[in-house]
Amino acid sequence: MTATAAARPSAAAAHLRIEAVVKRFAPDAAAAVDGVSLDIAPGEFFALLGPSGCGKTTLLRLLAGFETPDEGRILIAGADMAGVPPYRRPVNMMFQSYALFPHLTVAQNVGFGLKQDRLPKREREARVAAMLDLVKLGRLAQRKPHQLSGGERQRVALARALAQEPKLVLLDEPLAALDRKLREETRFELVRIQHRVGITFLMVTHDQEEAMSMASRIAVMSQGRIVQLGTPQEIYETPANRFVADFIGGVNLLEGRVLRAHDGLIEIDSAEAGAILVVEHPVLAAGSTVAIAVRPEKIVFAPPAAAANRLEARVRGLAYRGEASTYEVELASGKLLRVTQVNAVRQAPAYAAGDSISLGFAPGAAVVLAP
Amino acid sequence: MSAAMRRRAVLALPYAWLTLFFLVPFMIVLKISLAESVIGIPPYTALLATDGWQLHVSGESYRRLASDDLYALAYLNAIKFAGVSTVFCLLLGYPLAYGIVRAPRRWRSLLLLLVILPFWTSFLIRVYAWIGLLSGNGVINNTLLALGLVHQPLTLLNNAFAIYVGIVYSYLPFMVLPLYAQLEKLDPALLEAAADLGCRPWRAFCRVTLPLSLPGIAAGALLVFIPAVGEFVIPDLLGGPNTLMIGKVLWDEFFANHDWPMAASVAVAMLAVLILPMGFIRRLLQGETA
Ligand SMILES: Nc1ncnc2c1ncn2[C@@H]1O[C@H](COP(=O)(O)OP(=O)(O)OP(=O)(O)O)[C@@H](O)[C@H]1O
Ligand SMILES: [Mg+2]
C-alpha cells in the first residue's frame, strides 16, 4: 500500500472535502446523495463502492460540476466549488462510457484539454506523447476511437483525464467495460500509473474485489449514504453492519442471544447453529440478540475435538472454482453455510454431497455485527 | 443461396429501381438532346434513321448552349440563388434543429411535426400565399403603412428578395430534418467531457457539436441546393418576368419554344453542373470520417 494509505487526512491537508452534500433530482424524490461527508488526502487512491443506483455516479457528477448540490459544500484544495462551472474546476473525469471524441484521433483526444489551455504546440505534442507512453498507446496515436478495442479506449480515456495534470481525477467504473482477464491486468496498471503521476484518484465501482485490490481507502455507499469508511482490510474484516458484511464478499450470518461475556469473549446461544458460540468481542449486555458474521474462508473442516465453535453438518453441494472450492453445508437446524477451501493439492475434493462432516471457526474469525 | 448472393439480391432491388426510374429516363433525355428540332410528333428527329442503320447525332443544341451567353448566365444565376438560399437555410435551420433536440423530450415530436406541417398544404398554394404577403398592398406592406413605419409600399415582390424568401421558406424543412437527425445522435456526455477538459459552452460547440454535425449539414445543404438550382415555380411566381434562372429557361424552351432537344440539353447540362458540388461534398465528408 502507499505511504498515504495509512495516514488519515487532517482537515487542513484534505485535498477534496465533501461536507454533508445532499442531491435530490426531484423535490419529492428520495435523495440520490444523502448527506455525504468525506475527506480525501492528496495522492490518495480512494474508492467509492456500492450497489447499482446507490448514488456513486451522482456524487462524482457533483464533484465534476455537472450537477449542483441541494445542500452541503464541496471544497477542492481548500476552494469552495459552489458556482464554479465544470470548465473551471481542477478535476478531470474519466467517464463510465469513456466519452471519447469520435471525430478526433487518439492523440487529438488526449491533447484536447491541452489545446484548450493554449499550450504551445511543441509542449502539447510532447505531453501527449508522454501520456500515450504512460498508457502504452504510442503506436495507435493516429487511430480514431472506433478503430480501437475496449481496453485501448479505456486507456485513451485515462490518458485524456491525466493530460492536463489535474489535482483530482474522477474515475467512473473505469474497468466496467473490460473482460475479466483484461480487468485484472488493468487494475495493477492503474495503480502503477497512479503511483507514477501522484495525482489523487477517486474511483467509483460496484465491484468489491476491484475496490479492495486498488484503493488505499474505501467508502461503502448504500442508498445515497456512506455506511462505512476504512481501509480494504478494515472493511472486509470488521464490517460495520449487515449490509457491508453482505456486500463485501460472501458471508455467513448466525443469529443468537448473548449469554455472558468474559475475558474479551462473549458466549452466544444460537439456535441456528445448534450450539453455544464463542466470539471475540468487548462486553455486550447479556440477553441482547446479535448477529455474527463468518467469512466462508475462515471456516475449517474437521477441527480438533476440543475446539470452540464446533458444528456438525452435512454437505449439500460443492462448486469447484479452480484455486478453491466452495461447499454449501447444512446444519441440523436447516441453516445453510458456505465454506471455502483452498485446493492446495491436485486431488479430487475431500468431501462430496451427502457426507457428514464437522466444521468450526476460531473465536477471532467471526465479527459481531451492529444490529 | 450463399450470403454473398443474398446480399447481391438485396442490392439488386435499389439498383433496379434506380435503373428503371433514373437511368432510363435520363438516357431518353440524353437521346432527345442529341436530336434536331422539327415540326411534327414527336417534335425531334429520330436518332436511328429507319432507312439505313445510320446514326444521326446532332450537336446543334449543345452548340447553342455554349455559344449563347444567356444560358451560362442563367446557370450562374441559379447557382447563386440556390447557394445563398442554402446558406440562409443553414443559418436558420441549425438553431432550429438544435433547439428541437434540446427541447424537453415530450415537446420534440410536436416541434418536428410543426416543421413538416407546411407539407400538408400544396407547394403551389404556399408560394401563392407569399404573393399575398409580399405584394404592394399585401399583408406586410399594409401593416407597415398602418403602423406609420413606411410612407410608401416597399417593393417586396418580383425581385431577388422575393425569390430568396420563397426558396428559404420552401426548403427549410429539408435542412432541419437531416440536421435534427444528426444532432439527436450526439452523445451529451461528449459535451460534458469537453466542459470537463476546460471548454466553455461556445468552445465545446465549435470543437465537438459542429464537427460532429457536418454530415447533417452536408445532407441538408444538398437537399436544399440541388432542387433549388432547378427551381422554376418560385422564380416564376415571386421573381417576376425578368428573372433569369435555368429552371425557368428550361420551362420556356419546352413549353414556349417547343424545342425539345434544346430543353433536353439544358437538363443534361444542369445535371453535369450539379454533379460537381455533390462530388465535392462527398470527398469532404470522406476526408472527415475516414
Ligand atoms: N438525471 C437524473 N434524474 C433523475 N434521477 C436520477 C438521475 N440520475 C440518477 N438518478 C437516480 O439517482 C440514483 C443514483 O443514481 P447513480 O447514477 O448515481 O447510481 P450509481 O450508483 O452510479 O449506479 P450504477 O452503479 O448503476 O452506475 C438512482 O436511483 C437514479 O435513478
Ligand atoms: Mg454509475
Side-chain angles (χ1 to χ4, degrees):
Chain A
M1 283 295 133
T2 58
T4 52
R8 293 298 163 74
S10 68
H15 196 147
L16 166 67
R17 173 145 232 220
I18 304 172
E19 290 178 357
V21 164
V22 175
K23 174 69 189 174
R24 276 188 180 79
F25 283 106
D28 49 349
V33 172
D34 195 359
V36 168
S37 296
L38 260 185
D39 278 345
I40 295 177
E44 202 171 2
F45 197 136
F46 194 95
L48 276 175
L49 177 62
S52 188
C54 72
K56 307 180 297 285
T57 297
T58 307
L59 187 57
L60 281 201
R61 292 175 57 81
L62 286 164
L63 299 181
F66 302 133
E67 311 278 358
T68 37
D70 296 322
E71 293 168 34
R73 289 205 309 165
I74 293 166
L75 295 105
I76 296 174
D80 193 339
M81 288 293 120
V84 179
Y87 52 85
R88 284 224 204 86
R89 297 198 179 196
V91 298
N92 279 150
M93 181 141 165
M94 185 178 157
F95 289 79
Q96 199 163 1
S97 58
Y98 303 150
L100 297 178
F101 303 116
H103 59 300
L104 301 179
T105 63
V106 166
Q108 287 168 331
N109 262 286
V110 174
F112 190 92
L114 302 174
K115 199 166 168 187
Q116 196 57 39
D117 294 343
R118 301 188 190 282
L119 211 67
K121 193 166 188 271
R122 272 267 183 77
E123 246 174 275
R124 192 170 79 219
E125 280 169 358
R127 185 92 69 83
V128 167
M131 282 299 139
L132 289 178
D133 262 1
L134 187 70
V135 296
K136 298 187 200 138
L137 277 182
R139 72 212 152 77
L140 301 180
Q142 296 313 317
R143 294 257 192 103
K144 290 273 176 79
H146 69 92
Q147 298 165 316
L148 301 178
S149 76
E152 288 161 353
R153 271 179 227 171
Q154 180 258 342
R155 285 184 282 163
V156 177
L158 179 66
R160 191 179 69 177
L162 294 175
Q164 283 175 301
E165 293 176 357
K167 293 179 174 162
L168 174 64
V169 175
L170 309 171
L171 306 107
D172 194 354
E173 313 244 1
L175 310 181
L178 307 182
D179 65 53
R180 194 185 159 87
K181 188 163 180 325
L182 199 54
R183 199 156 60 206
E184 278 169 14
E185 288 168 10
T186 314
R187 274 182 205 160
F188 292 107
E189 213 170 291
L190 253 183
V191 173
R192 214 195 55 234
I193 288 173
Q194 196 257 349
H195 273 225
R196 189 114 62 93
V197 296
I199 296 173
T200 316
F201 272 32
L202 173 51
M203 179 181 78
V204 148
T205 176
H206 60 248
D207 181 340
Q208 48 105 4
E209 219 178 294
E210 197 170 293
M212 301 222 300
S213 60
M214 294 166 76
S216 48
R217 282 199 305 151
I218 298 176
V220 183
M221 281 184 77
S222 167
Q223 299 181 350
R225 293 164 186 275
I226 292 181
V227 289
Q228 190 172 4
L229 180 69
T231 64
Q233 201 183 349
E234 282 165 359
I235 288 193
Y236 187 78
E237 300 297 353
T238 51
N241 57 26
R242 245 173 224 242
F243 172 81
V244 178
D246 209 27
F247 188 70
I248 314 283
V251 76
N252 296 301
L253 293 176
L254 290 165
E255 292 190 356
R257 209 162 42 76
V258 177
L259 287 178
R260 61 198 185 98
H262 61 91
D263 307 333
L265 298 174
I266 56 173
E267 285 179 19
I268 299 165
D269 179 13
S270 170
E272 268 180 342
I276 307 287
L277 302 176
V278 181
V279 179
E280 276 181 14
H281 196 74
V283 190
L284 207 68
S288 53
T289 308
V290 294
I292 65 160
V294 194
R295 298 279 183 202
E297 74 279 6
K298 296 197 167 60
I299 299 180
V300 294
F301 283 146
N309 303 325
R310 192 185 155 97
L311 308 174
E312 298 305 319
R314 211 164 46 78
V315 176
R316 281 256 309 227
L318 124 109
Y320 179 70
R321 294 204 326 252
E323 83 275 21
S325 294
T326 298
Y327 293 82
E328 191 179 48
V329 301
E330 186 175 0
L331 301 180
S333 65
K335 171 81 179 172
L336 295 178
L337 297 183
R338 278 162 177 264
V339 182
T340 305
Q341 298 285 295
V342 175
N343 293 326
V345 289
R346 285 174 53 207
Q347 266 159 18
Y351 304 100
D355 287 355
S356 285
I357 51 162
S358 60
L359 46 85
F361 54 91
V367 274
V368 176
L369 296 178
Chain B
M1 217 173 8
S2 74
M5 282 224 352
R6 238 174 298 153
R7 242 216 342 260
R8 235 172 279 158
V10 168
L11 277 181
L13 199 69
Y15 276 120
W17 176 276
L18 282 177
T19 308
L20 201 61
F21 294 105
F22 178 77
L23 205 57
V24 170
F26 176 73
M27 293 318 277
I28 294 172
V29 170
L30 188 65
K31 184 193 92 158
I32 295 174
S33 78
L34 293 171
E36 266 172 61
S37 179
V38 291
I39 295 171
I41 299 176
Y44 54 89
T45 54
L47 212 53
L48 272 176
T50 35
D51 43 350
W53 283 101
Q54 244 183 350
L55 212 53
H56 292 273
V57 176
S58 161
E60 173 61 17
S61 51
Y62 286 101
R63 202 187 51 73
R64 269 169 52 206
L65 196 66
S67 60
D68 196 338
D69 282 350
L70 173 94
Y71 296 107
L73 214 60
Y75 278 121
L76 287 178
N77 240 342
I79 286 173
K80 187 189 83 182
F81 273 112
V84 173
S85 304
T86 305
V87 171
F88 274 104
C89 275
L90 182 62
L91 291 179
L92 282 173
Y94 202 105
L96 207 58
Y98 194 83
I100 296 174
V101 169
R102 284 307 175 89
R105 193 165 287 276
R106 63 210 153 86
W107 284 93
R108 273 188 225 162
S109 40
L110 181 71
L111 291 171
L112 270 186
L113 195 71
L114 288 177
V115 168
I116 52 173
L117 199 64
F119 288 133
W120 293 6
T121 314
S122 150
F123 172 63
L124 216 54
I125 291 174
R126 283 183 287 134
V127 176
Y128 268 116
W130 275 105
I131 298 179
L133 287 169
L134 296 174
S135 68
N137 59 354
V139 175
I140 294 176
N141 268 319
N142 284 347
T143 312
L144 290 177
L145 285 171
L147 290 173
L149 291 174
V150 296
H151 299 291
Q152 276 190 336
L154 302 175
T155 322
L156 300 174
L157 197 59
N158 294 336
N159 55 15
F161 170 76
I163 297 180
Y164 285 128
V165 168
I167 295 181
V168 170
Y169 161 77
S170 304
Y171 288 101
L172 190 59
F174 295 105
M175 181 63 87
V176 173
L177 294 180
L179 275 177
Y180 171 83
Q182 190 71 40
L183 287 171
E184 227 235 10
K185 281 194 294 189
L186 188 81
D187 182 358
L190 293 180
L191 293 180
E192 289 183 346
D196 193 57
L197 294 166
C199 285
R200 289 155 176 280
W202 171 247
R203 291 291 300 156
F205 175 81
C206 292
R207 294 189 66 188
V208 178
T209 312
L210 199 59
L212 284 175
S213 54
L214 275 183
I217 293 177
L222 285 179
L223 282 177
V224 172
F225 182 79
I226 288 175
V229 167
E231 184 55 58
F232 154 73
V233 174
I234 294 171
D236 194 52
L237 292 182
L238 302 179
N242 297 325
T243 317
L244 197 59
M245 271 181 81
I246 200 62
K248 205 154 165 288
V249 169
L250 197 155
W251 177 276
D252 287 342
E253 291 294 353
F254 197 81
F255 288 100
N257 299 347
H258 293 286
D259 191 341
W260 286 28
M262 195 60 224
S265 63
V266 168
V268 170
M270 187 152 83
L271 195 78
V273 167
L274 288 182
I275 280 175
L276 280 175
M278 270 168 75
F280 177 70
I281 288 183
R282 249 185 72 124
R283 282 282 290 277
L284 208 83
L285 277 185
Q286 272 168 354
E288 188 58 43
T289 48

